[in-house]
């Protein structure tokens, strides 16, 4: 395919979800929120909101399920960092929780699963390690409901001795351990990056996701997490998104990803979109080799030289 045909393809790939898809997403999120309200969870106790690619307008049709957080806000998990280690919860202003979920975080997921099954039917609800899937009907889309708790990472003292913190969510997989997510920071940083690139950042994220779907479909690479591709694009410098064509943007983006993930590259400095976690440092489900293989396969697929 020549450059002009690829430009036409990329112009189609950059398009966000259609109004029909967005309407289905809104209906799905609303139905889950109403289900949990009907089961006794008030809006003050359980904050229900879309997160991930749908919330950040980087979703594509082949990855069309919506992530819905069900965040329990009356029991706050927290950690103190950057010189605040040893500061007590009482000093910060947090009181111990004595509600039904204190000491039994699994109960929140059990209760949410029971509520979803009561509303949507047992055959339409599947429990997984981290989330509970509510399967799509004609007027909705698949939803992964993620039961979680409010989490605060205290990192400094501000004016008047006030303790400053980053707010995220903490979830407890059935397999054990805990996972911390930062949906608000992901959204805010994605919006800022998109604004700084004239809207091209989210366009190119959709291109990378559709490219990954093609490469997986044709057996050229193994499947990669949608969020991983979003993070790779986030670490590309803003000037790479400012060409006159999408083809030129894609070439610059792939080149930066490939070069950064070489042995002497700068991938160790890559961060996740939330800018609070490293992309490759620590234990991750992806690697620099995955990123380099994707960039290389995509480069060849388009026919760059």
């Amino acid at each position: 395919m020549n450059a002009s045909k690829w430009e036409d393809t990329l112009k189609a790939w950059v398009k966000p979800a259609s109004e029909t898809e967005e309407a289905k997403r809104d209906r799905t999120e609303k139905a889950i929120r109403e289900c949990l309200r009907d089961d006794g969870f008030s809006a003050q106790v359980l904050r229900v909101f879309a997160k991930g690619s749908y919330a950040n307008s980087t979703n594509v049709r082949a990855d069309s399920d919506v992530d819905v957080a069900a965040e329990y806000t009356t029991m706050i998990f927290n950690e103190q960092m950057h010189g605040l280690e040893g500061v007590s919860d009482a000093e910060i202003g947090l009181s111990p929780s004595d509600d039904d979920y204190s000491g039994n975080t699994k109960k929140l997921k059990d209760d949410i699963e029971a509520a979803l099954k009561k509303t949507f039917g047992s055959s339409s609800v599947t429990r997984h390690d981290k989330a509970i899937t509510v399967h799509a009907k004609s007027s909705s889309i698949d939803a992964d409901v993620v039961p979680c708790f409010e989490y605060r990472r205290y990192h400094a003292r501000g004016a008047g001795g006030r303790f400053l913190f980053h707010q995220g969510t903490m979830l407890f997989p059935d397999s054990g351990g805990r996972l911390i997510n930062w949906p608000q920071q992901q959204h805010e940083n994605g919006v800022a990056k998109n604004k700084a690139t004239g809207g091209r950042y989210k366009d190119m994220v959709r291109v990378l996701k559709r490219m990954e779907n093609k490469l997986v479909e044709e057996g050229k690479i193994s499947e990669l997490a949608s969020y991983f591709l979003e993070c790779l694009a986030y670490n590309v410098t803003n000037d790479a998104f400012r060409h006159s064509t999408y083809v030129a943007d894609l070439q610059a983006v792939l080149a930066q990803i490939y070069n950064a993930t070489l042995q002497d590259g700068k991938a160790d400095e890559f961060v996740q979109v939330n800018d609070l976690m490293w992309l490759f440092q620590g234990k991750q489900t992806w690697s620099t080799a995955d990123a380099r293989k994707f960039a290389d396969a995509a480069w060849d697929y388009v026919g760059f030289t």
Side-chain angles (χ1 to χ4, degrees):
M1 192 185 300
N2 61 36
S4 63
K5 289 184 177 180
W6 263 113
E7 185 67 16
D8 290 339
T9 297
L10 298 187
K11 284 180 179 177
W13 282 6
V14 302
K15 292 179 180 179
S18 68
E19 291 185 7
T20 300
E21 289 176 278
E22 287 296 330
K24 284 187 174 184
R25 186 212 82 163
D26 291 343
R27 283 194 294 270
T28 301
E29 183 182 346
K30 181 181 179 182
I32 290 168
R33 181 180 293 110
E34 290 178 348
C35 157
L36 296 174
R37 296 286 178 270
D38 291 345
D39 202 64
F41 288 105
S42 70
Q44 291 74 31
V45 169
L46 196 70
R47 192 165 73 96
V48 179
F49 60 96
K51 66 187 188 75
S53 59
Y54 255 108
N56 295 302
S57 190
T58 56
N59 59 297
V60 298
R61 285 188 65 90
D63 308 307
S64 60
D65 59 316
V66 58
D67 292 330
V68 177
E71 179 190 2
Y72 190 73
T73 62
T74 64
M75 192 168 83
I76 300 170
F77 289 86
N78 70 95
E79 290 178 285
Q80 293 78 44
M81 305 179 69
H82 306 304
L84 297 181
E85 295 87 346
V87 176
S88 69
D89 287 359
E91 189 176 351
I92 286 173
L94 297 176
S95 302
S97 174
D98 59 356
D99 65 14
D100 290 346
Y101 303 113
S102 179
N104 184 11
T105 54
K106 177 177 174 291
K107 179 173 168 52
L108 177 67
K109 189 172 181 180
D110 291 343
D111 288 352
I112 290 175
E113 179 187 14
L116 295 172
K117 286 183 173 179
K118 185 164 63 176
T119 297
F120 300 103
S122 296
S123 62
S124 295
V125 176
T126 304
R127 181 170 177 145
H128 302 286
D129 187 39
K130 301 171 187 174
I132 304 165
T133 298
V134 178
H135 299 286
K137 296 183 179 179
S138 60
S139 61
S140 64
I141 58 176
D142 282 353
D144 287 334
V145 181
V146 183
C148 54
F149 295 84
E150 183 175 335
Y151 169 76
R152 297 179 182 180
R153 177 188 288 176
Y154 288 89
H155 60 88
R157 289 179 187 261
R162 184 169 57 95
F163 291 92
L164 306 180
F165 61 89
H166 300 296
Q167 184 172 329
T169 63
M170 179 177 285
L171 66 98
F172 295 86
D174 288 340
S175 59
R178 65 178 196 173
L179 292 173
I180 298 168
N181 290 321
W182 306 98
Q184 178 182 340
Q185 293 82 355
Q186 179 188 350
H187 177 74
E188 291 174 353
N189 292 341
V191 168
K193 179 82 170 181
N194 203 48
K195 183 177 180 180
T197 57
R200 304 281 276 213
Y201 161 66
K202 291 190 178 183
D203 285 349
M204 199 50 52
V205 170
R206 295 186 205 103
V207 166
L208 295 184
K209 290 182 178 182
R210 287 188 164 100
M211 178 66 74
E212 185 266 353
N213 288 335
K214 282 285 186 184
L215 295 174
V216 170
E217 182 183 315
E218 298 186 16
K220 299 181 184 299
I221 63 169
S222 298
E223 186 175 358
L224 299 172
S226 170
Y227 178 59
F228 178 50
L229 298 170
E230 193 171 329
C231 290
L232 290 174
Y234 182 76
N235 285 275
V236 172
T237 57
N238 291 346
D239 60 294
F241 301 92
R242 293 175 178 154
H243 298 91
S244 60
T245 66
Y246 286 115
V247 169
D249 276 5
L250 179 59
Q251 186 171 27
V253 167
L254 292 176
Q256 282 201 29
I257 293 171
Y258 184 86
N259 290 331
T261 54
L262 293 171
Q263 189 170 1
D264 57 349
K266 297 183 177 181
D268 279 351
E269 300 173 10
F270 277 16
V271 294
Q272 296 184 28
V273 183
N274 55 57
D275 207 15
L276 291 170
M277 300 175 70
W278 297 109
L279 183 59
F280 292 112
Q281 296 183 41
K283 187 178 180 181
Q284 304 292 355
T285 59
W286 49 66
S287 67
T288 54
D290 293 329
R292 188 165 59 255
K293 185 174 182 179
F294 166 74
D296 190 37
W299 184 277
D300 291 343
Y301 193 75
V302 178
F304 291 138
T305 58

